[in-house]
Amino acid sequence: MKRIVVLAFVLVMLASLMLGCSKDDKTPTPAPDSQGGLPADSMAIAAERGLTPDDINAALMTYTPSGTWDEYITFMSGGHSGNLIAVGVPSMRILKNIAVFTPEAWQGYGFGNTEIEQMLDAGNVDGETIRMGDSHHPALSETAGDYDGQWIFINDKNSARVAVIDLRDFETKQIVKDPNIISNHGATFVSPNTDYIFQGAQYATPFGWEYAPLSEYQEKYRGMMTAWKFDREAGRIDPSKSFSIELPPYWQDLCDAGKLVSDGWVFCNSFNTEMATGGNMEGQPNFEASVSQRDMDYMHIIDWKKAEQVVAAGKTEEINGMPVISIPTAIEEGVLYLAPEPKSPHGMDVTPDGKYLVVAGKLDPHVTIYSFDKIQKAIASGNSTPDAFGIPILNFDDVMVAQLEVGLGPLHTQFDDKGNAYTSLFLDSMVAKWKLGGDDPAAYVVLNKVPVQYNIGHLVAAEGDTVSPDGKYLIALNKWAVDRFTPVGPLLPQNEQLIDISGDAMKVIYDMPMGVGEPHYAQMIKADKIHAINTYPEVGWDPISWQKSEFATLPGEERIERNGNEVEVFMTSVRSHLTPDRVEVKQGDHVIWHITNVETAQDATHGFQLDGHNISLSIEPGETANFEFDATNSGTYPYYCTEFCSALHLEMMGYFQVAP
Ligand code: K7E
Ligand code: CUA
């Protein structure tokens, strides 16, 4: 019986697709099997695979034939894999795994390439080489509050670092380390014109993560908001024009930058306003209990435009090289305010019009909606009570517009183009769709919900963080994937579920196993906004400095130069040989090696690995890559191209010999 229903459904649907028919279309629907080119066996396939009409619908909405491109690109953080993953929508195919904080051999990232090593080294901590990360929140660069497709930034929660990725070549160009905090979370969030990339701390420590007993938590431990200045011309964060604001040792959590009316402000939710310090072996409760005692935590409300003036006026203290606005100065200058947030809040999402802020409850089934206008009025009224540090806490009722019960474990909220909001419900494993009600509390209503599998964290809507979201698609970033995919051992992939939000009811249309990282947050941009290059502009290009490399080597210029104990190799690669194909040095020599891929054809990448030396490069068409090392061991070490570039790719090799 089910099969007959499926068959009938497929027949009608395929026929209507063929004809592009609408309800007013008076053309009689011919029998599908009489249509030239209509595969008569598709119904049989559907029946054979037991596909329901919904399955077929979902397949038709997501299947992306060979050679056709996705409409959107979603950039998902890789979580503790420390990378950034570009995924096409609606196909949900991984387009690229972009190495950021963690070495990745395929991209030749962190395996010898001199410029990349230097960039990664900029993220080292106190001489400790850091080659991992915990990437959480990617932020696309914006112009007037809209994604402009030029850059993307991402934070490393683990060591409080921020990376800059260039969307011309989808490669990481810079990593900066905050000199005063060791863990961040409310990052990265950009101001509407990407003047600043904001980074809020997470677990409080003394400045510079120095030692201080936990008994001195309230006096010595601090949170922080750093405004990293982005120089668009240079395509780099300019630490010399960046600044920080000292915050209380509450754990700042998620942040978002204001937009339109609220441009100039940044907001963060926080938890552990209890200032708990652990001690579960010393008779204290676990953190999970001690940081959840109070009914209210505090939203941080920061006037960054005013902070910028305070910095310009020199009213800062330089701490570890960073100008910091102290808490007393921030209070005096009207830079920092607090507002109560219901129990263990999570998420901070500014509505597309910039007028409202949504904070989710985590342990409270409500989302709380705050009005920016009310916040401004409350600040102007002077009605507040000081917290333990003297920071004015605005009255909850003065700033809050509505509280809407959305379900259990609300975390994050996204928006569409029709005035709706979508909130992830971790405990319910659902997405709740609700209506924004402006200033009228009664106008906020839950419209419907859709189950997701399982334990949803963040969710992302098409252009969902901009001033003009697209609607259409939403992705649920689910933490658990129990029973969803063919078993692959105890460590399961995450499940990224694509949801069609074009209609009234939400429909899950694709389950994508994410087996290369644990995405926290993601941003989804219209693919045609990104103008990625096909090959580097000129042969001999340095992708990091974005100019011709001083070591560019053209065919005929290949050479090996010896200068005392230093041997410098200038090599070219082209299908299907490396020149020179013999390099001999003496044990103890320092070897500096440059390779230029002189190809100009798209996709004619040559990789390079040197046996026994932990060296792996990816040299894209036109690129010059460099590495250096000490020839410590004598021996014979083949080097070869790692990309299967031609039929004679295996012959693309050479011998590196170290004479004793
Ligand atoms: Cu909710 Cu780090 Cu954005 Cu994960 S955070 S879910
Ligand atoms: Cu070049 Cu294989």
Side-chain angles (χ1 to χ4, degrees):
M1 183 58 200
K2 188 181 168 196
R3 285 200 173 187
I4 295 168
V5 174
V6 170
L7 283 175
F9 177 83
V10 176
L11 293 179
V12 171
M13 198 165 46
L14 288 177
S16 46
L17 272 177
M18 289 290 293
L19 299 166
C21 77
S22 67
K23 278 194 184 115
D24 330 312
D25 195 334
K26 294 289 183 300
T27 321
T29 306
D33 53 2
S34 72
Q35 294 290 302
L38 180 69
D41 57 355
S42 35
M43 289 72 80
I45 294 170
E48 173 70 28
R49 301 194 67 208
L51 302 180
T52 66
D54 275 351
D55 295 335
I56 294 158
N57 226 343
L60 291 173
M61 291 174 81
T62 56
Y63 177 68
T64 306
S66 177
T68 55
W69 297 355
D70 279 300
E71 189 182 354
Y72 290 91
I73 294 183
T74 299
F75 291 92
M76 298 186 181
S77 69
H80 43 294
S81 74
N83 54 0
L84 178 68
I85 303 150
V87 175
V89 174
S91 75
M92 299 302 279
R93 297 178 296 202
I94 292 182
L95 301 173
K96 198 168 199 176
N97 177 20
I98 305 165
V100 184
F101 298 108
T102 307
E104 204 287 317
W106 166 60
Q107 290 158 80
Y109 191 87
F111 290 94
N113 182 305
T114 307
E115 285 70 25
I116 292 171
E117 295 294 343
Q118 284 167 356
M119 184 179 62
L120 286 164
D121 282 345
N124 289 348
V125 177
D126 300 335
E128 189 75 43
T129 301
I130 309 285
R131 289 294 184 272
M132 40 70 74
D134 187 12
S135 57
H136 272 235
H137 306 105
L140 286 151
S141 59
E142 296 180 10
T143 299
D146 240 323
Y147 302 148
D148 57 35
Q150 295 181 353
W151 306 91
I152 187 162
F153 313 100
I154 192 160
N155 69 309
D156 165 34
K157 166 170 163 161
N158 180 274
S159 294
R161 301 178 298 172
V162 170
V164 177
I165 294 116
D166 190 335
L167 291 178
R168 285 175 296 189
D169 63 354
F170 283 52
E171 288 193 5
T172 305
K173 304 296 177 184
Q174 185 186 24
I175 293 173
V176 294
K177 164 82 196 89
D178 194 293
N180 287 307
I181 57 172
I182 192 67
S183 104
N184 68 24
H185 192 243
T188 49
F189 299 92
V190 299
S191 59
N193 282 310
T194 322
D195 315 274
Y196 289 100
I197 302 152
F198 295 106
Q199 173 205 257
Q202 181 132 80
Y203 307 124
T205 61
F207 284 145
W209 52 96
E210 279 173 18
Y211 176 80
L214 282 160
S215 57
E216 296 171 15
Y217 187 83
Q218 188 169 331
E219 306 83 73
K220 301 227 169 120
Y221 286 59
R222 288 296 178 264
M224 187 157 264
M225 165 61 66
T226 296
W228 292 108
K229 178 75 185 168
F230 186 61
D231 177 346
R232 228 182 239 267
E233 210 49 42
R236 295 292 185 275
I237 287 169
D238 184 350
S240 74
K241 296 200 173 100
S242 305
F243 63 89
S244 297
I245 301 161
E246 178 189 13
L247 298 176
Y250 312 145
W251 295 345
Q252 289 79 37
D253 190 23
L254 263 286
C255 306
D256 201 2
K259 53 187 90 150
L260 300 172
V261 284
S262 54
D263 186 9
W265 294 74
V266 62
F267 312 92
C268 302
N269 79 283
S270 72
F271 61 116
N272 198 15
T273 53
E274 294 84 354
M275 295 190 272
T277 58
N280 60 5
M281 295 280 285
E282 289 88 30
Q284 303 296 318
N286 288 321
F287 271 116
E288 64 185 275
S290 52
V291 305
S292 308
Q293 288 163 29
R294 304 181 63 216
D295 286 337
M296 291 283 186
D297 287 294
Y298 301 131
M299 178 200 294
H300 294 45
I301 302 163
I302 298 168
D303 186 340
W304 67 259
K305 284 217 170 133
K306 200 171 265 180
E308 205 180 25
Q309 293 163 12
V310 171
V311 173
K315 297 177 190 166
T316 53
E317 199 182 323
E318 187 152 313
I319 307 176
N320 295 314
M322 182 72 96
V324 179
I325 301 175
S326 68
I327 292 177
T329 305
I331 297 168
E332 200 180 300
E333 300 285 337
V335 164
L336 175 64
Y337 302 89
L338 302 173
E341 304 170 307
K343 213 168 174 63
S344 298
H346 194 57
M348 167 60 69
D349 295 286
V350 178
T351 55
D353 60 11
K355 290 182 177 169
Y356 304 94
L357 327 173
V358 181
V359 176
K362 202 158 77 176
L363 293 185
D364 172 326
H366 297 86
V367 286
T368 304
I369 297 100
Y370 298 81
S371 147
F372 178 71
D373 185 51
K374 284 185 137 196
I375 289 172
Q376 294 305 301
K377 286 181 176 140
I379 290 171
S381 79
N383 270 338
S384 64
T385 39
D387 81 336
F389 301 87
I391 306 165
I393 309 169
L394 309 175
N395 295 329
F396 186 54
D397 292 337
D398 290 350
V399 294
M400 186 267 289
V401 178
Q403 287 196 287
L404 181 67
E405 186 169 338
V406 288
L408 298 180
L411 295 183
H412 300 284
T413 300
Q414 287 278 285
F415 307 97
D416 70 8
D417 54 333
K418 300 182 192 81
N420 300 312
Y422 301 80
T423 299
S424 54
L425 303 173
F426 182 86
L427 298 175
D428 275 342
S429 286
M430 287 187 139
V431 173
K433 175 179 177 178
W434 50 280
K435 208 171 136 37
L436 289 164
D439 289 329
D440 177 9
Y444 288 84
V445 281
V446 173
L447 300 170
N448 52 63
K449 297 183 191 181
V450 69
V452 291
Q453 277 85 18
Y454 305 90
N455 295 7
I456 177 175
H458 274 276
L459 71 186
V460 57
E463 306 249 330
D465 284 314
T466 69
V467 293
S468 58
D470 283 6
K472 211 162 176 175
Y473 297 116
L474 182 82
I475 299 173
L477 287 78
N478 306 314
K479 302 296 185 186
W480 282 28
V482 179
D483 78 16
R484 289 295 100 181
F485 305 112
T486 311
V488 289
L491 177 62
L492 267 54
Q494 282 69 46
N495 184 5
E496 321 305 347
Q497 287 184 303
L498 181 66
I499 302 172
D500 170 21
I501 56 165
S502 57
D504 288 337
M506 296 174 276
K507 276 195 184 135
V508 174
I509 54 174
Y510 200 90
D511 276 36
M512 177 224 193
M514 175 60 83
V516 293
E518 190 213 302
H520 279 250
Y521 191 41
Q523 284 195 331
M524 196 190 307
I525 180 176
K526 202 88 194 307
D528 61 16
K529 283 185 172 180
I530 298 177
H531 303 288
I533 56 164
N534 290 332
T535 58
Y536 283 111
E538 216 179 311
V539 169
W541 202 254
D542 176 347
I544 298 216
S545 66
W546 205 261
Q547 60 189 12
K548 195 159 173 179
S549 165
E550 57 178 309
F551 306 112
T553 308
L554 296 178
E557 296 174 358
E558 299 92 344
R559 62 198 184 274
I560 299 170
E561 290 174 356
R562 174 173 282 279
N563 194 343
N565 276 348
E566 204 172 272
V567 177
E568 195 161 5
V569 182
F570 295 82
M571 179 176 273
T572 60
S573 64
V574 70
R575 279 163 289 174
S576 302
H577 51 272
L578 293 155
T579 310
D581 58 8
R582 284 185 196 165
V583 176
E584 182 161 338
V585 303
K586 288 197 217 66
Q587 192 169 9
D589 281 346
H590 183 69
V591 183
I592 305 171
W593 199 313
H594 316 288
I595 309 177
T596 299
N597 178 348
V598 300
E599 304 263 6
T600 52
Q602 187 179 0
D603 211 7
T605 292
H606 298 291
F608 179 90
Q609 289 189 347
L610 173 59
D611 291 355
H613 284 77
N614 202 36
I615 283 163
S616 181
L617 309 179
S618 175
I619 316 158
E620 277 77 71
E623 179 177 348
T624 292
N626 313 295
F627 61 98
E628 53 186 286
F629 61 98
D630 291 321
T632 320
N633 300 317
S634 67
T636 298
Y637 305 97
Y639 53 84
Y640 62 99
C641 169
T642 48
E643 284 266 335
F644 208 107
C645 53
S646 74
L648 298 178
H649 149 81
L650 294 177
E651 287 78 353
M652 196 166 174
M653 66 82 68
Y655 280 107
F656 173 65
Q657 293 189 290
V658 184

